[in-house]
Amino acid sequence: MSERRPFIRPQPRHWWAHKPYLSYTVREVSGVAVAAYGAILLAGLICLWRGPDAYAVYRQILASNWSFLVHLILLAAVLWHVLTWFQILPKTMPKLIFRGRQLPQRQVTAMALLFALVCSAALLIVVVAIGAMS
C-alpha cells in the first residue's frame, strides 16, 4: 500500500509581489529599517560608553554624506512602517463606540497618528530642554 501524500496547492514563485500581498510584504520589510535604525542608535550608545574617542569616530561616520542618505532612506521606511501600523490598528482592536455609534477606521487611525505626533513632539521638547540646561 502506498503512503498518502497531502495535497499541496501550486503557488506562484513571486506570490508575495501580487496585489493583495504586496503592501503587507513592503510593511514587513520596512520593519527591517526600524531594526537597522535601532542598531545605529545602539552603536552610538556603545561608542558613548567606550569613551570620547570612540564617540568622536561615531559622530564622524554620521557626518558623512552616505550616512545622511542612509538616514533619509531609513526615515522614509520608518514613516511608512508607522503609517501602516496605525492603519492596521482599527482592524486588530475592539470596535470603539462613541455616542452610540462605531467610530470609522480612518478616524481611529487619524487619532492614533495624532497621539503619536503629540507624544513625539513632547519628547523632542523634553530632550531639547535637557540639552539647553547642560
Side-chain angles (χ1 to χ4, degrees), residues 24-34 81:
Y24 173 78
T25 304
V26 171
R27 186 184 113 47
E28 292 301 311
V29 168
S30 69
V32 174
V34 174
H81 191 80

Side-chain angles (χ1 to χ4, degrees), residues 9-18 21:
R9 182 184 303 206
Q11 190 74 283
R13 183 178 180 128
H14 298 292
W15 62 268
W16 52 269
H18 296 294
Y21 307 110

Side-chain angles (χ1 to χ4, degrees), residues 26-118:
V26 171
R27 186 184 113 47
E28 292 301 311
V29 168
S30 69
V32 174
V34 174
Y37 193 67
I40 290 171
L41 291 176
L42 181 62
L45 285 175
I46 291 170
C47 289
L48 187 61
W49 176 68
R50 287 188 158 190
D53 293 336
Y55 190 66
V57 171
Y58 173 76
R59 288 195 53 179
Q60 184 180 2
I61 291 171
L62 288 183
S64 72
N65 290 334
W66 287 105
S67 176
F68 184 73
L69 179 65
V70 166
H71 275 78
L72 282 179
I73 293 168
L74 289 177
L75 175 65
V78 168
L79 289 177
W80 174 257
H81 191 80
V82 167
L83 177 66
T84 56
W85 179 266
F86 285 124
Q87 287 175 341
I88 291 173
L89 179 68
K91 297 173 185 170
T92 59
M93 62 185 287
K95 295 177 182 173
L96 290 177
I97 308 296
F98 184 70
R99 295 187 182 174
R101 66 177 183 90
Q102 180 181 346
L103 290 178
Q105 288 185 357
R106 295 181 112 197
Q107 190 172 2
V108 174
T109 299
M111 288 170 31
L113 282 169
L114 180 64
F115 181 73
L117 184 66
V118 167

